[in-house]
Amino acid sequence: MKGIRITGQIPLDGEVRIQGSKNAALPVMAAALLNRGTTVLKGCPRISDVFLMEKILRGLGAGTRWQGDSLEICADQISSCEVERELGEKMRSSIVLLGSLLGRCREAVLPFPGGCVIGARPIDLHLSALKTLGAEFAEKDGRLYGRTSQMKGGTVFFRKSSVGATENAVLAAVCGEGTTVIRGCSKEPEVGWLCCFLNQAGARISGIGTSCLVIRGVPRLHDTVFSIPSDRITAGTYVCASAITRGKGILVKPPVKEMKAMLTAYEKIGGQYVYNSGKLFLCSQKASRPIHWLETQIYPGFPTDLQSIFLAVLACAQGNSQIKESIFEDRFKVVPQLQKMGAQIEVEEQIARIRGGKLRGTRVKAEELRGGAALVIAGLGAEGETYVENREFVERGYEDICRDLNCLGARVRKD
Ligand code: EPZ
């Protein structure tokens, strides 16, 4: 069994550099298909979801090559518009290839993305937006077939904020004919980074960071070298690591501007921080207060991806807290594993009520990426030793969580 072994209750006091952002890298890798040349992504995170997306791109005929932490993608020859089923089924976020394949090849075949542990994860918003821009779809044998004579400009209106659907609409529009207006866009930073990448490669997108994007179609994109931004969820995870151990810690190059909601919650529980010259200095000796009410929201609200991880921190607080999950319908899956560690959490519909207390180390199971990270963070705050099974879930989004936490002074190892 591949797992992670954690020794609990060591107050952290070290320094760690924050990796590149998984959720910025994946859509930018898909966008590289729109350039009939070479795209270089500096600071690309070496995580299994990126390696999987790389395999998918190679299966489509692109060439990929790592030079240190830069990933080079050569897409001058695309030989197929069909994402290999067993690869696409492993990663929901491969759905973002829909927009770039339609934009590049005017065709796309993907496995119909299923739901996952955190919810049904429908794609209705993706399909309705792409149909507005000139695509047609059919489903057969669990595959989604998309095609278009030419993606054309139009006005897309999202009734609900969706990161992936916004990214797909942008990817389909950048090389389409005419001008596209997308209203009700997701304002998550990763959407902004995708647009920055595309503009750097020759696209013409305005309104970045707002809920209304205007895209003037261009005939093609060109080569560019783009730096992947650092990962706000990884950085938030390590703020929680410092908090639960009542230690300190220094994060190097965190995207602090994108972490306001997380840092506000950190201050509410008693954490103190200073950001100076690219370093975030954390002081968590007093980070033991509960939070009466916290709700996950779309950006710039508290990110759903940090909900499970913050739940672990509140399970060790001195008092009672409540967290409402408002983005996904089933994102408290990690609670039974935290309860095995002694966490006193009751979930009723979308609200978790937490009675802060002590956690004790034991053997627990990761079932998905952020829940797995939450169990590792819980292990840091628990008495004794914790063993988290199914490490591969955590490795989907964290380059090397053991390496990083040990840099912060923890005692964590792969086992
Ligand atoms: C992205 O997923 C992220 N993944 C998720 O991070 C993140 O949790 C999520 O955005 C929300 O911020 C990547 O960027 C690769 P959505 P995405 O479409 O695009 C509903 C992680 O741990 N919806 O914004 O799939 C949907 O069910 C992952 O790194 C529809 O109803 O999220 C959800 O309730 C987990 N119809 C809500 O919208 C649709 O067509 C938000 O989903 C699409 C989505």
Side-chain angles (χ1 to χ4, degrees), residues 22-24 26-27 49 91-95 116 118-128 158-167 186 188 190 232-233 297-299 303-305 326-329 331 368-370 397:
K22 163 175 102 75
N23 292 349
L26 293 173
D49 272 12
M91 183 172 66
R92 242 198 68 79
S93 48
S94 53
I95 187 70
C116 67
I118 63 177
R121 318 262 330 243
I123 59 168
D124 55 309
L125 300 173
H126 297 245
L127 301 183
S128 58
F158 285 117
R159 59 178 170 74
K160 173 175 186 172
S161 173
S162 162
V163 175
T166 303
E167 291 168 344
S186 160
E188 303 293 311
E190 293 75 27
R232 63 191 173 107
I233 304 301
Q297 292 167 326
I298 58 173
Y299 192 81
T304 176
D305 290 351
S326 302
I327 305 296
F328 287 104
E329 68 269 26
R331 205 165 196 180
E368 40 86 23
L369 166 55
R370 304 303 176 184

Side-chain angles (χ1 to χ4, degrees), residues 25-52:
L26 293 173
V28 165
M29 290 174 74
L33 285 179
L34 292 168
N35 168 29
R36 297 168 191 265
T38 300
T39 297
V40 178
L41 306 180
K42 293 172 73 175
C44 199
R46 301 180 79 92
I47 53 178
S48 56
D49 272 12
V50 163
F51 299 142
L52 184 53

Side-chain angles (χ1 to χ4, degrees), residues 136-310:
E136 295 170 344
F137 295 100
E139 188 197 339
K140 189 164 167 263
D141 306 331
R143 284 175 194 263
L144 178 66
Y145 293 80
R147 67 187 186 84
T148 179
S149 51
Q150 167 67 43
M151 294 312 289
K152 58 185 183 4
T155 300
V156 171
F157 175 67
F158 285 117
R159 59 178 170 74
K160 173 175 186 172
S161 173
S162 162
V163 175
T166 303
E167 291 168 344
N168 256 330
V170 168
L171 289 166
V174 286
C175 293
E177 264 175 11
T179 297
T180 294
V181 177
I182 310 175
R183 298 187 190 287
C185 295
S186 160
K187 295 193 288 183
E188 303 293 311
E190 293 75 27
V191 172
W193 288 114
L194 172 65
C195 296
C196 289
F197 162 75
L198 288 165
N199 277 353
Q200 193 178 300
R204 296 175 63 193
I205 305 170
S206 56
I208 296 176
T210 74
S211 60
C212 179
L213 292 171
V214 179
I215 301 164
R216 288 171 184 74
V218 293
R220 67 186 58 74
L221 299 184
H222 55 66
D223 292 5
T224 190
V225 178
F226 181 74
S227 293
I228 297 291
S230 52
D231 192 312
R232 63 191 173 107
I233 304 301
T234 302
T237 302
Y238 299 157
V239 171
C240 291
S242 167
I244 203 168
T245 63
R246 312 285 188 266
K248 295 196 278 184
I250 301 171
L251 307 189
V252 179
K253 287 176 65 62
V256 75
K257 288 199 185 84
E258 299 171 1
M259 297 171 64
K260 285 194 172 66
M262 172 65 229
L263 291 171
T264 300
Y266 175 62
E267 283 182 310
K268 276 187 183 162
I269 64 171
Q272 297 166 309
Y273 70 90
V274 169
Y275 180 66
N276 191 344
S277 323
K279 291 190 175 186
L280 183 64
F281 297 83
L282 302 169
C283 179
S284 304
Q285 277 92 336
K286 299 191 180 106
S288 58
R289 293 205 295 262
I291 286 190
H292 175 64
W293 179 262
L294 180 68
E295 184 171 348
T296 63
Q297 292 167 326
I298 58 173
Y299 192 81
F302 189 88
T304 176
D305 290 351
L306 285 173
Q307 177 258 101
S308 303
I309 296 154
F310 205 64

